[in-house]
């Protein structure tokens, strides 16, 4: 819904939004999409055992630039960096946002810290 609300019909021809199975089980979907200019992912990694599969998928998409954000759960940054190294992804810039800086009226307490990473194939 958000993408459709922010792009007109002509621009939507250049935008593709979809869920992808992570890892080799999503190879056909990645091949169907082809190479991308940019991949954006928000709140991507929930379980450490899926991080490597997600990075496999990002590598397969081969975007010129990928921006990924995720909550700083225990071990998440190390898992992500290790998966990037395993799949030959280069880390670019990174940003850290303290959970206390994220204003969310629906939360009763501060959320987890957030990491945003720029990665390249």
């Amino acid at each position: 819904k958000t993408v459709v609300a922010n792009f007109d019909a002509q621009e939507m021809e250049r935008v593709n939004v979809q869920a992808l199975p992570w890892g080799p089980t999503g190879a056909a979907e990645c091949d169907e999409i082809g190479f991308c200019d940019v991949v954006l992912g928000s709140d991507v990694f929930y379980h450490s055992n899926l991080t490597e599969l997600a990075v496999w998928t990002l590598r397969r998409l081969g975007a010129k630039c990928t921006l990924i954000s995720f909550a700083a759960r225990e071990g998440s940054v190390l898992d992500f960096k290790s998966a990037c190294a395993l799949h030959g992804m280069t880390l670019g810039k990174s940003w850290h946002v303290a959970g206390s800086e994220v204003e969310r009226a629906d939360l009763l307490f501060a959320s987890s810290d957030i990491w945003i990473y720029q990665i390249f194939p």
Side-chain angles (χ1 to χ4, degrees):
K1 292 180 181 180
T2 304
V3 173
V4 174
N6 286 293
F7 295 96
D8 63 29
Q10 185 177 2
E11 292 172 319
M12 282 302 295
E13 292 177 15
R14 301 179 313 133
V15 176
N16 182 11
V17 177
Q18 70 183 71
L20 292 172
W22 288 348
T25 59
E29 288 87 344
C30 290
D31 292 345
E32 183 179 310
I33 292 169
F35 291 103
C36 308
D37 289 327
V38 177
V39 171
L40 301 174
S42 175
D43 206 9
V44 175
F45 309 119
Y46 285 91
H47 301 287
S48 62
N49 61 325
L50 299 177
T51 302
E52 190 273 326
L53 294 173
V55 173
W56 183 99
T57 301
L58 295 172
R59 178 71 171 145
R60 182 72 176 237
L61 290 172
K64 295 174 186 173
C65 179
T66 298
L67 290 173
I68 296 295
S69 70
F70 55 92
R73 295 176 179 90
E74 185 176 341
S76 62
V77 173
L78 179 60
D79 290 341
F80 173 71
K81 288 181 176 181
S82 297
C84 286
L86 177 68
H87 291 288
M89 300 292 282
T90 301
L91 296 173
K93 294 182 180 180
S94 64
W95 299 266
H96 175 255
V97 180
S100 59
E101 294 179 37
V102 179
E103 293 186 29
R104 296 265 317 262
D106 59 329
L107 295 178
L108 298 176
F109 53 89
S111 62
S112 298
D113 289 5
I114 303 295
W115 281 99
I116 304 166
Y117 280 90
Q118 178 184 39
I119 57 175
F120 305 96

